[in-house]
Amino acid sequence: MRGTDEASGSLFSYVDLDERVPGGHPLRKVRQIVNDALSSLDAEFAVLYTDFGRPSIAPERLIRASLLQILFSIRSERQLMAQMNYNLLFRWFVGLGIDDAVWVPTVFTKNRDRLLTTDMSRKVMAAILAHPEVKPLLSDEHFSVDGTLVKAWASMKSFQPKVSPPPDHDDDQGDPPPPSTQETPADTDQPPQQTETQPMPDTARQPRNAEVNFRGEKRSNTTHASVTDPDARLYKKASGAAATLCFMGHTLMENRNGLVVQADLTHADGRGERKAALEMINRHSPGSTRHLTLGADKGYDSADFVADLRRMVVTPHVAQKVRHSAIDGRTTQHSGYALSQRCRKKIEEPFGWAKIVGGMAQTVHRGLDRVRAQFTMTMAACNLARLPKLLAA
């Protein structure tokens, strides 16, 4: 018998969102780990909020929604709210009921920016890695480090010359004299001079984004700065590549399963990678007496960097330069050096995931602190995307 195609609204609806999600869905394991990690941060959340006033969006829901936006490559908060309005999977993951109203995109953005700072993003990543099911997957001795460029949300046309402050006048010299004016005496028969008024330029006829030719113009970070994002720097990693306004993201990866254990973002310069590597090692293993190894590419083959690692009781498994290498034979003769060189190449996978899926090829945020917090949260989401398969294996 053929069924009827008639739509009739129900007066009552009993929908259990948990029953609608398949038992083998990868987000089930991700949600379990995220909920346990956020439960361990309850005391941290309590410090950030007061006991009076209107209740804001729960911090746990803000973080779950932000992770969803990264995992599913949602470009804006407005699209995220539209998805949560009709997507039952998103409602279930965030913790909204079937009848709960979604948030206004601007309200969600303001609450998220107030919560997800660099410090909070690092605490979320650390809580996920400290989960009882995730911690056995990590290596506590062998690590790799690398950096990548994150394009800033600023165009090259915003890279303008820096405006120098006006010189200060001495107090004894007094104020500068006013401009001289020509007056016509009243007893003369000559009429006053007529001044020709220049017509105002027609701004409506000018193009909105005029073409600019930068050929032959010398620009550098010392003389120019972006008016859109002053924290962005003009930089290039390869000699034949074009310089762009960007930041430099850094990650510290453990070599057992390739999970990111530390993330940072700095100004783009030639020494940022080595400085960030030392800071991430200190944050991850403060005062550690265990002998660690650190794999890296040729960009880290510097005498100062190798000496700093040896003072920290860290063996520098750094790729050697062709000439004038700071890595000697006492390091390269061990089999662990060749193993670290093979494992360190896996650090490019989180970078590729963050740029293709996580939207970090070009950030949509401005300011060093906001971009750093977003980069750290993206690396935490990259770990979450790999955990269901790793835990199943």
Side-chain angles (χ1 to χ4, degrees), residues 293-309:
T293 65
L294 183 67
D297 57 17
K298 295 180 182 179
Y300 295 83
D301 189 2
S302 171
D304 297 337
F305 179 72
V306 171
D308 291 336
L309 288 181

Side-chain angles (χ1 to χ4, degrees), residues 34 54 81 254 277 285 384:
V34 170
R54 296 179 60 185
M81 296 301 107
E254 54 86 27
S285 302
L384 290 173

Side-chain angles (χ1 to χ4, degrees), residues 242-258:
T244 57
L245 291 173
C246 56
F247 300 93
M248 183 170 287
H250 317 273
T251 56
L252 181 68
M253 179 194 72
E254 54 86 27
N255 289 351
R256 180 176 298 172
N257 289 293

